[in-house]
Amino acid sequence: SVSKCATFRSPRSPSLSPKLRDMPEGDTIFRTARTLTRALGGQTVTRFETVLPKLARVDYDTPLAGRTVDSVESRGKWLLMHFSGDLILLTHMLMSGSWHIYRPGEKWQRHRSHMRIVVETPSMLAVAFDVPVAEFHTARSLERRAGLNRLGPAPLAPDFDAGLAAANLAARGHLELGLALLDQTALAGLGNVF
């Protein structure tokens, strides 16, 4: 059977601004990373395909085929797929994106026109559908990536710092608690279901 790693939409809350109503939840991204690691981790990439020109250019210059998928991790609402040779695929699903996993030859649940990225190994393929943000980075360039380099501590991370999270939230005492919790620089990965 197909294991589907997908973001979900939160129930609409009329009290939140439209920008904050539908945010994918950090725990969903965490589970997606865990599922992708189980499916692809330690395996050699046999094929990489994308419709995104910037990703295609990197693949052309330094092919992904032959690299190993070292791990997949979440940072807040970002998903990072680490490949051997210091190459990291950074994706953010926003409201429309999702990752699905399939066995080779298995029929996709979404139409090919929604495909943005395919990472294939001998036993599985991961397909990113409608992912609006996708970039390749090295470890060094990732440190400078705006939006990622200022994230607060993530509650599901192994190195979660509760003291820092509490201090970050206290510094936002002028905000209602719900809005402070949605500030990704205070506490990364929470959405509006929590």
Side-chain angles (χ1 to χ4, degrees):
S1 74
V2 173
S3 295
K4 183 178 176 183
C5 306
T7 60
F8 63 87
R9 286 176 171 66
S10 305
R12 288 197 173 267
S13 171
S15 62
L16 292 175
S17 72
K19 180 180 174 185
L20 297 177
R21 281 186 193 146
D22 290 322
M23 297 182 74
E25 310 306 324
D27 63 311
T28 302
I29 307 304
F30 177 84
R31 288 191 312 271
T32 299
R34 185 177 57 200
T35 301
L36 288 169
T37 294
R38 289 177 181 159
L40 305 175
Q43 295 192 50
T44 301
V45 176
T46 56
R47 178 173 70 99
F48 178 82
E49 181 181 351
T50 184
V51 297
L52 304 172
K54 288 182 180 181
L55 298 185
R57 181 60 199 205
V58 171
D59 182 49
Y60 179 81
D61 290 342
T62 57
L64 269 84
R67 293 178 187 257
T68 302
V69 178
D70 291 336
S71 65
V72 184
E73 68 168 308
S74 65
R75 288 194 197 165
K77 296 178 184 179
W78 295 89
L79 193 96
L80 295 84
M81 189 176 294
H82 296 264
F83 298 94
S84 58
D86 190 28
L87 188 63
I88 303 161
L89 175 61
L90 176 70
T91 60
H92 198 299
M93 294 185 250
L94 296 177
M95 294 316 306
S96 58
S98 62
W99 279 93
H100 297 215
I101 58 173
Y102 301 96
R103 297 188 194 313
E106 189 170 11
K107 185 177 186 218
W108 295 357
Q109 292 183 353
R110 305 273 316 265
H111 191 271
R112 184 168 179 80
S113 64
H114 295 277
M115 181 277 288
R116 301 297 176 261
I117 303 164
V118 175
V119 177
E120 186 170 351
T121 68
S123 61
M124 299 298 277
L125 34 15
V127 184
F129 292 105
D130 296 321
V131 171
V133 179
E135 306 163 357
F136 277 122
H137 286 274
T138 63
R140 188 170 180 193
S141 70
L142 195 62
E143 292 173 2
R144 297 186 307 267
R145 173 54 167 90
L148 186 70
N149 62 4
R150 294 186 55 230
L151 288 176
L156 297 175
D159 60 348
F160 176 64
D161 184 340
L164 178 59
N168 287 350
L169 291 171
R172 289 156 180 79
H174 61 286
L175 295 175
E176 291 179 19
L177 180 58
L179 292 177
L181 289 171
L182 291 175
D183 182 344
Q184 299 295 294
T185 62
L187 191 62
L190 296 185
N192 55 12
V193 166
F194 295 103

